[in-house]
Amino acid sequence: MRAIPLPRTKRARALAASCALAAAVAVFASTSQVTAAPSTAATAEKNSGEKPTIVLVHGAWADASSWNAVIGRLQRAGYTVYAPPNPLRGVSQDAETLASFVRTIPGPVVLVGHSYGGMVITNAAAKSDNVKALVYDDAYIPAEGETVFQINGAKPGSCVTAEPSTFLNLVPYPGGPAGDVDAYLKWAANGTYKGFQDCFASGVPTAQARLLAACQRPFAVSAGSEPSGAPAWESIPSWAVVGTTDHVIVPDEQRAMAQRANAHITEVEAGHLSLITRPDTVADVITSAAEAVRRP
């Protein structure tokens, strides 16, 4: 499957190796808490009683490694952290997959979603009694019946509302609904689409942005039109990080959704990937949510 053609050069081989390393790191990040820290089940139960477990959910065109900088900060602060893979197949399916994972965790959970991950945590938390706080990072915070495509078009300025052929590589995948395809963001600018870096990875150094583009996980197009269910934020306290230069979910729309959810809002000068470019701020907001869960 080839979203971005690469020449057969040493540079291409190095890029492929970097992708493999990024994938390995993502797997380690999402499983290390099970196998390495805490070292025993008893310790894990003890830790979960002292602090909530934090579960981080990536969005479209990303993977769990996008959380690496935030994970490191939270682990150093003593939190048990998981970053399970988000299938990116559809809102209900992805939410059920996450909810099944969260239900295996003893004690309270803070559920954190970036971008499309916000759709997933909004629905998964409604199925998981141990979720005590929600954190949205440059994320969709949907009301019941809303879709990704609807939210993108609610206010002008999103870079992912152009003609699909201008900014997406569309690839069939086996086993999906009839006519559904996987969508990969193109690297190069094309017409009103300013390219992967300006649209999705604003503020990320070019070399790192190229790695993100090469290693991106595709988003099933049908997921963009699937309505969200009853929102968990109606009954669970929420926090939101709003990137003031986000080109994917425009800041005004992020603010409107966060205010509707009565979320604690933190604004940060960052594009769509504040979890990469401003990890201190994102980790601080997650910590604030976790501390609120711990207070009686």
Side-chain angles (χ1 to χ4, degrees):
M1 186 176 294
R2 185 167 63 119
I4 300 173
L6 293 173
R8 297 179 179 273
T9 63
K10 292 181 179 179
R11 182 170 177 274
R13 289 193 292 272
L15 180 57
S18 297
C19 288
L21 178 59
V25 170
V27 171
F28 177 78
S30 64
T31 60
S32 60
Q33 293 298 317
V34 176
T35 59
S39 58
T40 66
T43 303
E45 291 179 6
K46 179 176 183 294
N47 286 347
S48 68
E50 294 172 352
K51 291 184 175 182
T53 299
I54 297 171
V55 177
L56 307 170
V57 182
H58 67 82
W61 307 309
D63 61 22
S65 66
S66 60
W67 286 110
N68 282 353
V70 174
I71 291 170
R73 286 160 172 77
L74 295 173
Q75 287 180 333
R76 289 192 291 274
Y79 288 97
T80 298
V81 185
Y82 297 96
N86 182 358
L88 305 177
R89 297 296 86 187
V91 176
S92 57
Q93 179 179 336
D94 297 341
E96 187 54 55
T97 299
L98 177 61
S100 296
F101 179 85
V102 169
R103 288 193 291 265
T104 69
I105 300 172
V109 169
V110 175
L111 205 50
V112 186
H114 171 251
S115 192
Y116 169 74
M119 299 288 292
V120 179
I121 69 171
T122 296
N123 289 269
K127 307 172 186 290
S128 311
D129 292 340
N130 55 335
V131 175
K132 303 303 179 184
L134 297 167
V135 181
Y136 295 90
D137 178 30
D138 300 316
Y140 300 95
I141 312 176
E144 186 170 7
E146 289 183 340
T147 71
V148 167
F149 294 157
Q150 178 184 352
I151 293 170
N152 286 344
K155 296 185 186 297
S158 172
C159 63
V160 293
T161 56
E163 164 60 37
S165 63
T166 66
F167 72 99
L168 294 173
N169 287 320
L170 301 175
V171 180
Y173 68 94
D180 198 18
V181 290
D182 271 339
Y184 294 80
L185 280 178
K186 293 181 179 180
W187 171 261
N190 184 11
T192 59
Y193 175 61
K194 302 304 182 183
F196 183 95
Q197 187 172 14
D198 184 81
C199 174
F200 185 75
S202 175
V204 177
T206 299
Q208 186 178 9
R210 286 189 176 277
L211 286 174
L212 294 172
C215 299
Q216 64 180 289
R217 292 190 59 191
F219 173 69
V221 170
S222 61
S225 58
E226 182 177 347
S228 185
W233 49 257
E234 289 187 332
S235 58
I236 299 175
S238 302
W239 283 253
V241 178
V242 174
T244 59
T245 60
D246 194 331
H247 296 160
V248 175
I249 310 173
V250 295
D252 282 349
E253 184 59 29
Q254 289 189 48
R255 292 187 194 99
M257 291 187 293
Q259 290 166 358
R260 180 179 63 186
N262 198 30
H264 305 272
I265 300 173
T266 298
E267 296 198 358
V268 60
E269 187 177 352
H272 192 58
L273 299 182
S274 60
L275 71 175
I276 293 175
T277 62
R278 300 296 294 272
D280 286 332
T281 298
V282 175
D284 285 347
V285 171
I286 296 170
T287 300
S288 294
E291 289 297 323
V293 168
R294 293 181 65 191
R295 287 196 295 268

